[in-house]
Amino acid sequence: MDQSVATALVPVVLLIGLGVLAARVRWIGATASRDLSNLVFFLLLPALLFRSMAAVDIAHLSLAPVVPFFAAAGLIFIGMLLVRGMTPRAAVLAMSAIYGNVVMIGIPLVALLHGPAGSAVLFTLISVHALVLLTTATVVIELASARAAPSGEAPRSIGTTVVQAIARAIWHPVPLPIIVGLLFGQTGLALPEVLDSALKLLAQAFGPVALLLVGVTLAHTAVGSQWRGALALSTLKNLVMPIAVLLIGQGLGVASMPLSVMVTAAAMPSGANVFLFAQRYQVAQALSTATVAVSTVLALGTVSAVLTLLKILGL
């Protein structure tokens, strides 16, 4: 195993394991995990998203290197919806196959491999990663939910369905802080230091708490019955997506270092945000939880394999 891969991934595995332990010894009960999920989804995640987007300067973003990443993600996402249907469950599972842990694992790994130049490319992806993927998933899930008319009621018109879905998607703890943060960042203003410090602390707590929550939920999940689905989704996320990014990037002529960073980011295991989406909409919770755990453990080998491929290709 590549030492840099172990350095980035082992702490994530340990945090998930500690969450399992906390649940097993009943420090955190099954009923309390829902409240913990609400804390992460409605407070910690919005703080992280707002601060991240407030630091984005649209005028200086070079988006060319991220095109292969989002092209591959789009193809897999649409393919999953075509196969599984336009449903909230299908959207959550599609996110499991494309949304990776590019912050907690990706940042230290890319910094070790490519230094400051590689980190700058990764930060460009991170600045729009949540904006594109989470907002798209939210709109799709809300649209799918709005299409399902309650029993006995006439189906709503397409126009009404779309308007309601978009309104609910915007007024949501994921897209709203992204949009507000992005708009605030373009004003050139700065938050008061006290307020920014509080938001920073909340944002820093997101990753560890979210991973502990994955472990807590995993302790109450029958992973054995989910392993086939989790393995399939993990294969899509850990191997199919980075290979797709590599092929698309080579076809578009993306330079070697930026392409290597994008492929590495695509190889990251499924992120905890997907699990939070599943809990938020109460669909595919067991499978998405198992996928986060399985893909993270598998990443110890699959990320090393992807990095070896990149070395062979001279990237």
Side-chain angles (χ1 to χ4, degrees):
M1 184 194 310
D2 191 299
Q3 182 63 38
S4 58
V5 174
T7 300
L9 276 166
V10 170
V12 175
V13 175
L14 289 177
L15 282 172
I16 294 175
L18 288 173
V20 173
L21 175 64
R24 294 296 189 195
V25 299
R26 299 184 178 179
W27 291 339
I28 302 176
T31 55
S33 64
R34 181 65 183 177
D35 294 329
L36 189 57
S37 174
N38 286 336
L39 171 69
V40 173
F41 199 79
F42 291 105
L43 188 59
L44 303 186
L45 179 59
L48 172 65
L49 295 175
F50 175 83
R51 286 195 83 250
S52 298
M53 298 312 297
V56 173
D57 184 356
I58 295 178
H60 292 86
L61 281 181
S62 177
L63 297 178
V66 307
V67 171
F69 184 96
F70 288 115
L75 289 174
I76 295 173
F77 189 84
I78 293 171
M80 291 282 286
L81 293 182
L82 291 175
V83 172
R84 294 180 173 269
M86 180 72 168
T87 65
R89 177 181 176 83
V92 168
L93 296 183
M95 284 291 287
S96 296
I98 64 173
Y99 194 98
N101 196 336
V102 296
V103 174
M104 181 167 285
I105 305 174
I107 289 177
L109 182 58
V110 168
L112 285 170
L113 295 173
H114 298 288
S119 296
V121 175
L122 182 65
F123 288 144
T124 299
L125 172 65
I126 291 172
S127 69
V128 292
H129 185 249
L131 173 64
V132 175
L133 297 186
L134 294 184
T135 303
T136 299
T138 301
V139 172
V140 170
I141 291 173
E142 292 291 349
L143 184 58
S145 300
R147 287 179 58 194
S151 179
E153 292 186 13
R156 286 167 286 187
S157 68
I158 294 178
T160 300
T161 298
V162 171
V163 170
Q164 290 183 351
I166 292 176
R168 290 180 63 186
I170 293 175
W171 195 257
H172 184 282
V174 173
L176 187 60
I178 289 175
I179 295 170
V180 174
L182 187 63
L183 292 176
F184 180 81
Q186 309 320 302
T187 66
L189 300 174
L191 289 173
E193 185 175 351
V194 173
L195 178 57
D196 187 58
S197 296
L199 288 175
K200 182 179 180 180
L201 290 172
L202 290 172
Q204 290 173 336
F206 167 76
V209 176
L211 290 171
L212 288 170
L213 180 58
V214 170
V216 170
T217 306
L218 190 63
H220 301 287
T221 299
V223 178
S225 62
Q226 304 292 333
W227 75 269
R228 291 181 185 273
L231 182 60
L233 290 172
S234 298
T235 301
L236 282 173
K237 179 68 203 69
N238 293 21
L239 292 175
V240 174
M241 185 167 173
I243 291 173
V245 172
L246 175 61
L247 294 176
I248 294 172
Q250 288 182 321
L252 294 176
V254 177
S256 59
M257 190 276 286
L259 179 56
S260 179
V261 171
M262 290 299 108
V263 173
T264 302
M268 295 299 98
S270 186
N273 281 337
V274 180
F275 153 78
L276 294 174
F277 259 77
Q279 285 211 338
R280 165 70 172 168
Y281 292 99
Q282 298 184 19
V283 294
Q285 295 179 64
L287 181 51
S288 63
T289 302
T291 300
V292 172
V294 171
S295 66
T296 299
V297 173
L298 288 179
L300 292 169
T302 57
V303 173
S304 295
V306 169
L307 294 181
T308 299
L309 175 62
L310 290 174
K311 290 179 181 179
I312 292 173
L313 296 175
L315 296 176

Coordinates of all heavy atoms in Angstrom, one line a residue, residues 148-233:
A148 N -44.6 12.6 -7.3 CA -45.4 11.6 -6.7 C -46.6 12.2 -6.0 O -46.5 12.6 -4.9 CB -44.6 10.7 -5.7
A149 N -47.7 12.2 -6.7 CA -48.9 12.8 -6.1 C -49.5 11.9 -5.0 O -49.5 10.7 -5.2 CB -50.0 13.0 -7.1
P150 N -49.9 12.4 -3.9 CA -50.5 11.6 -2.8 C -51.7 10.8 -3.4 O -52.3 11.2 -4.3 CB -51.0 12.6 -1.8 CG -50.2 13.8 -2.0 CD -49.9 13.8 -3.5
S151 N -51.9 9.6 -2.8 CA -53.0 8.7 -3.2 C -54.3 9.4 -3.2 O -54.7 10.1 -2.2 CB -53.0 7.5 -2.3 OG -54.0 6.6 -2.7
G152 N -55.0 9.3 -4.3 CA -56.3 9.9 -4.4 C -56.3 11.3 -5.0 O -57.4 11.9 -5.2
E153 N -55.2 11.9 -5.1 CA -55.1 13.2 -5.7 C -54.6 13.2 -7.1 O -53.9 12.3 -7.6 CB -54.0 14.1 -4.9 CG -54.5 14.4 -3.5 CD -53.5 15.4 -2.8 OE1 -52.7 16.0 -3.6 OE2 -53.6 15.6 -1.6
A154 N -55.1 14.2 -7.9 CA -54.7 14.2 -9.3 C -53.3 14.7 -9.4 O -52.8 15.5 -8.6 CB -55.6 15.3 -10.0
P155 N -52.5 14.1 -10.3 CA -51.1 14.5 -10.5 C -51.0 16.0 -10.8 O -51.8 16.6 -11.5 CB -50.7 13.7 -11.7 CG -51.6 12.5 -11.8 CD -52.9 13.1 -11.3
R156 N -50.0 16.6 -10.3 CA -49.8 18.0 -10.5 C -49.2 18.3 -11.9 O -48.5 17.4 -12.4 CB -48.8 18.6 -9.4 CG -49.4 18.7 -8.1 CD -48.4 19.0 -7.0 NE -47.7 17.8 -6.7 CZ -46.8 17.7 -5.7 NH1 -46.6 18.7 -4.9 NH2 -46.2 16.5 -5.4
S157 N -49.4 19.5 -12.4 CA -48.9 19.8 -13.7 C -47.4 19.8 -13.6 O -46.8 20.0 -12.6 CB -49.4 21.2 -14.1 OG -48.9 22.2 -13.3
I158 N -46.7 19.7 -14.8 CA -45.3 19.7 -14.9 C -44.7 21.0 -14.4 O -43.8 21.1 -13.6 CB -44.8 19.4 -16.3 CG1 -45.2 18.0 -16.7 CG2 -43.3 19.6 -16.4 CD1 -44.9 17.6 -18.2
G159 N -45.4 22.1 -14.8 CA -44.9 23.4 -14.4 C -44.9 23.6 -12.9 O -44.0 24.1 -12.3
T160 N -46.1 23.2 -12.3 CA -46.2 23.3 -10.8 C -45.2 22.4 -10.1 O -44.5 22.8 -9.1 CB -47.6 22.9 -10.4 OG1 -48.5 23.8 -11.0 CG2 -47.7 23.0 -8.9
T161 N -45.0 21.3 -10.6 CA -44.0 20.3 -10.1 C -42.6 20.9 -10.1 O -41.9 20.8 -9.1 CB -44.1 19.0 -10.8 OG1 -45.3 18.4 -10.7 CG2 -43.0 18.0 -10.3
V162 N -42.2 21.4 -11.2 CA -40.9 22.0 -11.4 C -40.7 23.2 -10.4 O -39.6 23.3 -9.8 CB -40.6 22.4 -12.8 CG1 -39.3 23.1 -13.0 CG2 -40.6 21.1 -13.7
V163 N -41.6 24.1 -10.4 CA -41.5 25.3 -9.6 C -41.4 24.9 -8.1 O -40.5 25.4 -7.4 CB -42.7 26.2 -9.8 CG1 -42.7 27.3 -8.7 CG2 -42.7 26.8 -11.2
Q164 N -42.3 24.0 -7.6 CA -42.2 23.6 -6.2 C -40.9 22.8 -5.9 O -40.3 23.0 -4.8 CB -43.4 22.7 -5.9 CG -44.7 23.4 -5.9 CD -45.9 22.5 -5.5 OE1 -45.7 21.3 -5.4 NE2 -47.1 23.1 -5.3
A165 N -40.4 22.0 -6.8 CA -39.2 21.3 -6.6 C -38.0 22.2 -6.5 O -37.2 22.1 -5.6 CB -39.0 20.3 -7.7
I166 N -37.9 23.2 -7.4 CA -36.8 24.1 -7.4 C -36.9 25.0 -6.1 O -35.8 25.2 -5.5 CB -36.8 25.0 -8.7 CG1 -36.5 24.2 -9.9 CG2 -35.8 26.2 -8.5 CD1 -36.6 24.9 -11.2
A167 N -38.1 25.4 -5.7 CA -38.2 26.2 -4.5 C -37.8 25.5 -3.3 O -37.0 26.0 -2.5 CB -39.7 26.7 -4.4
R168 N -38.2 24.2 -3.2 CA -37.8 23.4 -2.1 C -36.3 23.1 -2.1 O -35.6 23.0 -1.1 CB -38.6 22.1 -2.0 CG -40.0 22.3 -1.7 CD -40.8 20.9 -1.7 NE -40.3 20.0 -0.7 CZ -40.6 18.8 -0.5 NH1 -41.5 18.2 -1.4 NH2 -40.1 18.0 0.4
A169 N -35.8 22.9 -3.3 CA -34.3 22.6 -3.5 C -33.5 23.8 -3.0 O -32.4 23.6 -2.5 CB -34.0 22.2 -4.9
I170 N -33.9 25.0 -3.3 CA -33.2 26.2 -3.0 C -33.2 26.5 -1.5 O -32.3 26.7 -0.8 CB -33.6 27.5 -3.8 CG1 -33.3 27.3 -5.2 CG2 -33.0 28.7 -3.2 CD1 -33.8 28.4 -6.1
W171 N -34.5 26.4 -0.9 CA -34.7 26.6 0.5 C -34.4 25.3 1.2 O -35.2 24.6 1.7 CB -36.1 27.0 0.8 CG -36.2 27.6 2.2 CD1 -36.8 27.0 3.2 CD2 -35.8 28.9 2.6 NE1 -36.7 27.8 4.3 CE2 -36.1 29.0 4.0 CE3 -35.2 30.0 2.0 CZ2 -35.9 30.1 4.8 CZ3 -34.9 31.1 2.8 CH2 -35.2 31.2 4.1
H172 N -33.1 25.0 1.3 CA -32.6 23.7 1.7 C -31.3 23.9 2.4 O -30.5 24.7 2.0 CB -32.5 22.8 0.5 CG -32.1 21.4 0.7 ND1 -30.9 21.0 1.0 CD2 -32.9 20.2 0.8 CE1 -30.8 19.6 1.2 NE2 -32.0 19.2 1.0
P173 N -30.9 23.1 3.4 CA -29.7 23.3 4.1 C -28.4 23.1 3.3 O -27.3 23.2 3.9 CB -29.7 22.4 5.3 CG -30.8 21.4 5.0 CD -31.7 22.1 4.1
V174 N -28.5 22.6 2.1 CA -27.3 22.4 1.3 C -27.2 23.5 0.2 O -26.2 24.3 0.3 CB -27.3 21.0 0.6 CG1 -26.1 20.9 -0.4 CG2 -27.1 20.0 1.7
P175 N -28.1 23.7 -0.8 CA -27.9 24.7 -1.8 C -28.0 26.1 -1.2 O -27.2 27.0 -1.7 CB -29.1 24.5 -2.7 CG -29.4 23.0 -2.5 CD -29.2 22.8 -1.1
L176 N -28.8 26.4 -0.2 CA -28.9 27.7 0.3 C -27.6 28.3 0.8 O -27.2 29.4 0.4 CB -30.0 27.8 1.4 CG -30.4 29.2 1.9 CD1 -30.9 30.0 0.7 CD2 -31.5 29.1 3.0
P177 N -26.9 27.7 1.7 CA -25.6 28.3 2.1 C -24.6 28.3 1.0 O -23.7 29.2 1.0 CB -25.1 27.3 3.3 CG -25.9 26.1 3.1 CD -27.2 26.4 2.5
I178 N -24.7 27.4 0.0 CA -23.8 27.5 -1.1 C -24.0 28.8 -1.9 O -23.1 29.6 -2.2 CB -24.0 26.3 -2.0 CG1 -23.4 25.0 -1.4 CG2 -23.3 26.5 -3.4 CD1 -23.7 23.8 -2.2
I179 N -25.3 29.1 -2.2 CA -25.7 30.2 -3.0 C -25.4 31.5 -2.2 O -24.8 32.5 -2.7 CB -27.2 30.2 -3.3 CG1 -27.5 29.0 -4.3 CG2 -27.7 31.5 -4.0 CD1 -28.9 28.7 -4.5
V180 N -25.8 31.6 -0.9 CA -25.5 32.8 -0.1 C -24.0 33.0 0.1 O -23.6 34.1 -0.1 CB -26.2 32.6 1.3 CG1 -25.9 33.8 2.2 CG2 -27.7 32.5 1.1
G181 N -23.3 31.9 0.3 CA -21.9 32.1 0.5 C -21.2 32.6 -0.8 O -20.3 33.5 -0.8
L182 N -21.6 32.0 -1.9 CA -21.0 32.5 -3.2 C -21.3 33.9 -3.5 O -20.5 34.7 -3.9 CB -21.6 31.6 -4.3 CG -21.0 31.8 -5.7 CD1 -19.5 31.4 -5.7 CD2 -21.7 30.9 -6.8
L183 N -22.6 34.3 -3.3 CA -23.0 35.7 -3.5 C -22.2 36.7 -2.5 O -21.7 37.7 -2.9 CB -24.5 35.9 -3.3 CG -25.4 35.2 -4.3 CD1 -26.8 35.4 -4.0 CD2 -25.1 35.8 -5.7
F184 N -22.1 36.2 -1.3 CA -21.3 37.1 -0.3 C -19.9 37.2 -0.7 O -19.3 38.3 -0.6 CB -21.4 36.4 1.1 CG -20.7 37.2 2.2 CD1 -21.3 38.4 2.7 CD2 -19.5 36.9 2.6 CE1 -20.7 39.1 3.7 CE2 -18.8 37.6 3.6 CZ -19.4 38.7 4.1
G185 N -19.3 36.1 -1.2 CA -17.9 36.2 -1.6 C -17.6 37.2 -2.7 O -16.5 37.7 -2.8
Q186 N -18.6 37.4 -3.5 CA -18.4 38.4 -4.7 C -18.5 39.8 -4.3 O -18.2 40.7 -5.0 CB -19.3 38.0 -5.8 CG -19.4 36.6 -6.2 CD -18.0 35.9 -6.3 OE1 -17.1 36.4 -7.0 NE2 -17.9 34.8 -5.5
T187 N -19.0 40.1 -3.0 CA -19.1 41.5 -2.6 C -17.8 42.1 -2.1 O -17.7 43.3 -2.1 CB -20.1 41.5 -1.4 OG1 -19.6 40.9 -0.3 CG2 -21.5 40.9 -1.8
G188 N -16.8 41.2 -1.8 CA -15.6 41.7 -1.4 C -15.6 42.0 0.1 O -14.5 42.5 0.7
L189 N -16.7 41.8 0.8 CA -16.8 42.1 2.2 C -16.2 40.9 3.0 O -16.0 39.8 2.5 CB -18.3 42.3 2.6 CG -19.0 43.4 1.9 CD1 -20.5 43.4 2.3 CD2 -18.4 44.8 2.3
A190 N -15.9 41.2 4.3 CA -15.4 40.1 5.2 C -16.3 40.0 6.4 O -16.8 41.0 6.9 CB -14.0 40.5 5.6
L191 N -16.5 38.8 6.8 CA -17.3 38.6 8.0 C -16.6 39.1 9.2 O -15.3 39.1 9.3 CB -17.6 37.1 8.2 CG -18.5 36.4 7.3 CD1 -18.5 34.9 7.5 CD2 -19.9 36.9 7.4
P192 N -17.3 39.6 10.2 CA -16.6 40.0 11.5 C -15.8 38.8 12.0 O -16.3 37.6 11.9 CB -17.8 40.3 12.4 CG -18.9 40.7 11.5 CD -18.7 39.8 10.2
E193 N -14.7 39.1 12.6 CA -13.8 38.0 13.0 C -14.4 37.0 14.0 O -14.2 35.8 13.9 CB -12.5 38.6 13.6 CG -11.4 37.6 14.0 CD -10.2 38.2 14.5 OE1 -10.1 39.4 14.4 OE2 -9.3 37.4 15.0
V194 N -15.2 37.5 14.9 CA -15.8 36.7 15.9 C -16.8 35.7 15.2 O -16.8 34.5 15.5 CB -16.6 37.5 16.9 CG1 -17.4 36.6 17.9 CG2 -15.6 38.3 17.8
L195 N -17.6 36.2 14.3 CA -18.6 35.3 13.6 C -17.8 34.3 12.7 O -18.2 33.1 12.6 CB -19.5 36.2 12.7 CG -20.5 35.5 11.9 CD1 -21.4 34.6 12.7 CD2 -21.4 36.5 11.1
D196 N -16.8 34.8 12.0 CA -16.1 33.9 11.1 C -15.4 32.8 11.9 O -15.3 31.6 11.5 CB -15.0 34.7 10.3 CG -14.3 33.8 9.3 OD1 -15.0 33.2 8.4 OD2 -13.1 33.7 9.3
S197 N -14.9 33.1 13.1 CA -14.2 32.1 13.9 C -15.2 31.1 14.4 O -14.9 29.9 14.4 CB -13.6 32.8 15.2 OG -12.5 33.7 14.8
A198 N -16.4 31.5 14.7 CA -17.5 30.5 15.1 C -17.8 29.6 14.0 O -17.9 28.4 14.2 CB -18.7 31.3 15.6
L199 N -18.0 30.2 12.8 CA -18.3 29.4 11.6 C -17.2 28.4 11.3 O -17.4 27.3 10.9 CB -18.6 30.3 10.4 CG -19.9 31.0 10.4 CD1 -20.0 32.0 9.2 CD2 -21.1 30.1 10.4
K200 N -15.9 28.9 11.5 CA -14.8 28.0 11.2 C -14.8 26.8 12.1 O -14.5 25.7 11.7 CB -13.5 28.8 11.3 CG -12.2 28.0 11.0 CD -11.0 28.9 11.2 CE -9.7 28.1 10.9 NZ -8.5 28.9 11.0
L201 N -15.1 27.0 13.4 CA -15.1 25.9 14.3 C -16.2 24.9 14.0 O -16.0 23.7 14.0 CB -15.3 26.4 15.8 CG -14.1 27.2 16.4 CD1 -14.6 27.8 17.7 CD2 -13.0 26.3 16.6
L202 N -17.4 25.4 13.6 CA -18.4 24.5 13.2 C -18.0 23.7 11.9 O -18.3 22.5 11.8 CB -19.7 25.3 12.9 CG -20.4 25.9 14.1 CD1 -21.5 26.9 13.6 CD2 -21.0 24.9 15.0
A203 N -17.4 24.4 11.0 CA -17.0 23.8 9.7 C -16.0 22.7 10.0 O -16.0 21.6 9.4 CB -16.4 24.8 8.7
Q204 N -15.0 23.0 10.9 CA -14.0 22.0 11.2 C -14.6 20.8 11.9 O -14.0 19.7 11.8 CB -12.9 22.6 12.0 CG -12.0 23.6 11.3 CD -11.1 24.4 12.2 OE1 -11.3 24.5 13.5 NE2 -10.0 24.9 11.7
A205 N -15.7 20.9 12.6 CA -16.3 19.8 13.3 C -17.1 18.9 12.3 O -17.3 17.7 12.7 CB -17.2 20.3 14.4
F206 N -17.4 19.4 11.1 CA -18.2 18.6 10.2 C -17.7 17.2 9.9 O -18.3 16.2 10.1 CB -18.5 19.4 8.9 CG -19.1 18.5 7.9 CD1 -20.4 18.1 7.9 CD2 -18.4 18.0 6.8 CE1 -21.0 17.3 7.0 CE2 -18.9 17.2 5.9 CZ -20.3 16.8 5.9
G207 N -16.4 17.2 9.4 CA -15.8 16.0 8.9 C -15.8 14.9 10.0 O -16.3 13.8 9.8
P208 N -15.1 15.2 11.2 CA -15.1 14.1 12.2 C -16.4 13.7 12.7 O -16.7 12.5 12.9 CB -14.3 14.8 13.3 CG -13.5 15.9 12.6 CD -14.3 16.4 11.5
V209 N -17.3 14.6 13.0 CA -18.6 14.2 13.5 C -19.4 13.4 12.5 O -20.1 12.5 12.8 CB -19.4 15.5 13.9 CG1 -20.8 15.1 14.4 CG2 -18.7 16.2 15.1
A210 N -19.4 13.8 11.2 CA -20.1 13.1 10.1 C -19.6 11.7 10.0 O -20.4 10.7 9.9 CB -19.9 13.8 8.8
L211 N -18.3 11.5 10.1 CA -17.7 10.1 10.0 C -18.0 9.3 11.2 O -18.3 8.1 11.1 CB -16.2 10.2 9.8 CG -15.7 10.7 8.4 CD1 -14.2 11.0 8.4 CD2 -16.1 9.8 7.3
L212 N -18.0 9.9 12.4 CA -18.5 9.2 13.6 C -19.9 8.8 13.5 O -20.3 7.7 13.9 CB -18.3 10.1 14.9 CG -16.9 10.3 15.3 CD1 -16.8 11.4 16.4 CD2 -16.3 9.0 15.9
L213 N -20.7 9.7 12.9 CA -22.2 9.4 12.7 C -22.3 8.2 11.7 O -23.2 7.3 11.9 CB -22.9 10.6 12.2 CG -24.4 10.5 11.9 CD1 -25.1 10.0 13.2 CD2 -25.0 11.8 11.4
V214 N -21.5 8.1 10.7 CA -21.5 7.0 9.8 C -21.3 5.7 10.6 O -22.0 4.7 10.4 CB -20.5 7.1 8.7 CG1 -20.3 5.8 7.9 CG2 -20.8 8.3 7.7
G215 N -20.3 5.7 11.5 CA -20.0 4.6 12.3 C -21.1 4.2 13.2 O -21.5 3.0 13.4
V216 N -21.8 5.2 13.8 CA -22.9 4.9 14.7 C -24.0 4.2 13.9 O -24.6 3.3 14.4 CB -23.4 6.2 15.3 CG1 -24.7 6.0 16.1 CG2 -22.4 6.8 16.3
T217 N -24.3 4.8 12.8 CA -25.4 4.2 12.0 C -25.0 2.8 11.5 O -25.8 1.9 11.4 CB -25.7 5.1 10.8 OG1 -26.0 6.4 11.2 CG2 -26.9 4.6 10.0
L218 N -23.7 2.7 11.1 CA -23.2 1.4 10.6 C -23.4 0.3 11.7 O -23.7 -0.9 11.4 CB -21.8 1.5 10.3 CG -21.1 0.3 9.5 CD1 -21.8 0.1 8.1 CD2 -19.6 0.6 9.3
A219 N -23.3 0.7 13.0 CA -23.4 -0.3 14.1 C -24.8 -0.9 14.2 O -25.1 -2.0 14.7 CB -23.0 0.3 15.4
H220 N -25.8 -0.1 13.7 CA -27.2 -0.5 13.7 C -27.7 -0.9 12.3 O -28.9 -1.0 12.1 CB -28.1 0.7 14.2 CG -27.7 1.1 15.6 ND1 -27.9 0.4 16.7 CD2 -27.0 2.2 16.0 CE1 -27.5 1.0 17.8 NE2 -26.9 2.1 17.4
T221 N -26.8 -1.2 11.4 CA -27.1 -1.5 10.0 C -26.7 -3.0 9.8 O -25.6 -3.3 10.1 CB -26.5 -0.6 9.0 OG1 -26.9 0.7 9.3 CG2 -26.8 -1.0 7.6
A222 N -27.6 -3.7 9.1 CA -27.2 -5.1 8.8 C -26.4 -5.1 7.5 O -27.0 -5.2 6.4 CB -28.5 -5.9 8.6
V223 N -25.1 -4.8 7.6 CA -24.3 -4.7 6.5 C -24.2 -5.9 5.6 O -24.1 -5.9 4.4 CB -22.8 -4.3 6.9 CG1 -21.9 -4.2 5.7 CG2 -22.8 -3.0 7.7
G224 N -24.4 -7.1 6.3 CA -24.3 -8.3 5.5 C -25.3 -8.4 4.4 O -25.1 -9.0 3.4
S225 N -26.5 -7.9 4.6 CA -27.6 -7.9 3.6 C -27.4 -6.8 2.6 O -28.1 -6.8 1.5 CB -28.9 -7.7 4.3 OG -29.0 -6.5 4.9
Q226 N -26.4 -5.9 2.8 CA -26.2 -4.8 1.9 C -24.9 -4.9 1.1 O -24.6 -4.0 0.3 CB -26.2 -3.5 2.7 CG -27.4 -3.2 3.5 CD -28.7 -3.0 2.6 OE1 -28.6 -2.5 1.5 NE2 -29.8 -3.3 3.2
W227 N -24.1 -5.9 1.4 CA -22.7 -5.9 0.9 C -22.6 -6.0 -0.6 O -21.8 -5.4 -1.2 CB -21.9 -7.1 1.5 CG -22.2 -8.4 1.0 CD1 -23.1 -9.3 1.4 CD2 -21.5 -9.1 -0.1 NE1 -23.1 -10.5 0.7 CE2 -22.1 -10.4 -0.3 CE3 -20.5 -8.7 -1.0 CZ2 -21.7 -11.2 -1.3 CZ3 -20.2 -9.6 -2.0 CH2 -20.7 -10.8 -2.1
R228 N -23.6 -6.7 -1.3 CA -23.5 -6.8 -2.7 C -23.8 -5.4 -3.4 O -23.0 -5.0 -4.3 CB -24.6 -7.8 -3.3 CG -24.3 -9.2 -2.9 CD -25.3 -10.1 -3.5 NE -25.1 -11.5 -3.1 CZ -24.4 -12.4 -3.8 NH1 -23.7 -12.0 -4.9 NH2 -24.2 -13.6 -3.4
G229 N -24.8 -4.7 -2.9 CA -25.1 -3.4 -3.4 C -24.0 -2.4 -3.1 O -23.6 -1.6 -3.9
A230 N -23.5 -2.5 -1.8 CA -22.4 -1.6 -1.4 C -21.1 -1.8 -2.2 O -20.4 -0.9 -2.6 CB -22.1 -1.8 0.1
L231 N -20.8 -3.1 -2.5 CA -19.6 -3.4 -3.3 C -19.8 -2.9 -4.8 O -18.8 -2.4 -5.3 CB -19.4 -4.9 -3.3 CG -18.2 -5.4 -4.1 CD1 -16.9 -4.8 -3.5 CD2 -18.1 -7.0 -4.1
A232 N -21.0 -3.0 -5.3 CA -21.2 -2.5 -6.7 C -21.1 -1.0 -6.8 O -20.4 -0.5 -7.7 CB -22.6 -2.9 -7.2
L233 N -21.7 -0.3 -5.8 CA -21.6 1.2 -5.8 C -20.1 1.6 -5.5 O -19.7 2.6 -6.1 CB -22.5 1.7 -4.7 CG -24.0 1.6 -5.0 CD1 -24.9 2.1 -3.8 CD2 -24.4 2.5 -6.3

